[in-house]
Amino acid sequence: TGDNRTDTLDTAVAIIAALGLSTGQVFTCVLINTSDAAETITLADGADADVVNVGQTIAQNESALLVIRCTSATAVSVYVVGA
């Protein structure tokens, strides 16, 4: 608590299994930063789970749409939209 943070994505294989994705499918969700101070969240790549617009941050009281696209049976691309 009290600091900016970087969250590393899980592995692509784990994300694909958890969401039941097939190649070409997309899953969306919202990441909301409800920190109690001016703390930002940054997403980092996981194994074969690539953040396309790396370095995009989500500031306190902001949210971002995460678009997870399954690019193969073992890889995903994650887009951070609107932060």
Side-chain angles (χ1 to χ4, degrees):
T1 63
D3 291 323
N4 297 332
R5 58 189 262 178
T6 299
D7 292 340
T8 301
L9 296 172
D10 204 340
T11 67
V13 170
I15 293 169
I16 291 165
L19 300 177
L21 295 174
S22 298
T23 301
Q25 289 185 315
V26 172
F27 180 85
T28 59
C29 62
V30 176
L31 175 61
I32 303 169
N33 183 347
T34 60
S35 61
D36 61 357
E39 302 154 2
T40 61
I41 299 172
T42 304
L43 292 179
D45 294 347
D48 295 315
D50 299 322
V51 178
V52 175
N53 48 344
V54 111
Q56 181 74 20
T57 61
I58 300 117
Q60 177 191 21
N61 298 322
E62 287 190 354
S63 62
L65 179 69
L66 302 183
V67 179
I68 302 165
R69 183 172 61 94
C70 183
T71 57
S72 76
T74 59
V76 296
S77 294
V78 179
Y79 301 82
V80 181
V81 181

